[in-house]
Amino acid sequence: TRIPESFSTFKSQLSAMEEGDRLTIFKIHSIMKLQEVDIPMVFLSMGIGMTSFYQMILQYQNLTGRKHLTSVHIAKANEHIYRDEIEARQIEGIKLLWPDNREQFKNEINQLIRADLNAIEGAKKPIYYIVGSDVFLVDMIDRLIQSGISINRIVIDKKEVKRRDRFSQFAL
């Protein structure tokens, strides 16, 4: 987790911990699930958000009838979590993009959106899965919606109430 200058009690206690200290972790799960496997998927993640996608990529590897999956992950200082593990699997049908900076990340996203919007009539449109900080979520959702991507094709790792709240701030 990030520990900014001004942080919560939890992050204060976490930052004071040392290697070997005991920590109880609870409520660690993802409500994000692979949807229809015959539809292309785009994973957009930031930082440790890749953790949610790692398990989904492992699931994807074992599916039959799957379509193409593209994963775009940006991380601070090019520290891409699970990169070595995923690349070592050499999973067919997955395109992995690891941009080194925000500009490259935005360029990759723009290329994916253009390809989506220029797809031939009748082609199945991808589902966009997004995991990252709240600022990242808002930025990615806004970029997709402003580009003409329907909210029905955007999946975020939030319960339905929080999902509605997150999407309500966009003029649809």
Side-chain angles (χ1 to χ4, degrees):
T1 186
R2 287 190 211 159
I3 303 181
E5 291 179 28
S6 173
F7 45 86
S8 66
T9 303
F10 167 75
K11 288 189 178 182
S12 175
Q13 292 172 348
L14 184 64
S15 68
M17 295 184 83
E18 296 184 16
E19 188 172 328
D21 287 351
R22 295 183 67 84
L23 173 68
T24 301
I25 300 175
F26 60 96
K27 292 188 179 181
I28 52 169
H29 70 282
S30 173
I31 62 167
M32 203 173 254
K33 305 276 185 263
L34 287 178
Q35 298 199 358
E36 300 176 48
V37 295
D38 64 336
I39 294 177
M41 293 172 272
V42 176
F43 291 174
L44 307 175
S45 60
M46 168 191 170
I48 63 166
M50 186 61 170
T51 303
S52 294
F53 291 146
Y54 180 66
Q55 291 305 314
M56 292 171 71
I57 288 170
L58 296 180
Q59 287 176 332
Y60 175 88
Q61 178 180 11
N62 297 318
L63 296 175
T64 56
R66 63 185 186 235
K67 290 289 185 185
H68 190 74
L69 184 154
T70 301
S71 175
V72 187
H73 178 258
I74 186 162
K76 183 179 174 183
N78 201 20
E79 297 173 2
H80 298 284
I81 189 169
Y82 298 116
R83 181 177 186 165
D84 295 339
E85 293 90 336
I86 294 170
E87 287 181 346
R89 292 178 175 274
Q90 298 179 348
I91 304 168
E92 187 177 330
I94 292 184
K95 181 178 183 181
L96 303 169
L97 302 170
W98 311 98
D100 294 327
N101 57 57
R102 288 179 191 251
E103 192 62 34
Q104 285 180 353
F105 183 80
K106 288 178 183 178
N107 289 337
E108 297 290 357
I109 301 305
N110 290 338
Q111 286 178 23
L112 289 167
I113 292 170
R114 273 194 303 279
D116 181 351
L117 297 175
N118 294 328
I120 59 172
E121 185 81 25
K124 292 196 176 189
K125 301 287 190 170
I127 296 173
Y128 293 84
Y129 295 80
I130 310 169
V131 179
S133 69
D134 285 340
V135 172
F136 180 79
L137 284 177
V138 169
D139 184 46
M140 290 297 99
I141 293 168
D142 186 50
R143 179 179 301 271
L144 293 170
I145 289 172
Q146 294 301 320
S147 298
I149 307 300
S150 163
I151 64 165
N152 296 331
R153 296 191 306 137
I154 302 172
V155 178
I156 59 175
D157 197 15
K158 301 285 182 195
K159 291 182 180 175
E160 187 56 35
V161 172
K162 289 188 177 184
R163 176 179 157 71
R164 277 195 309 270
D165 181 51
R166 179 63 63 214
F167 282 102
S168 69
Q169 59 191 287
F170 298 98
L172 304 174

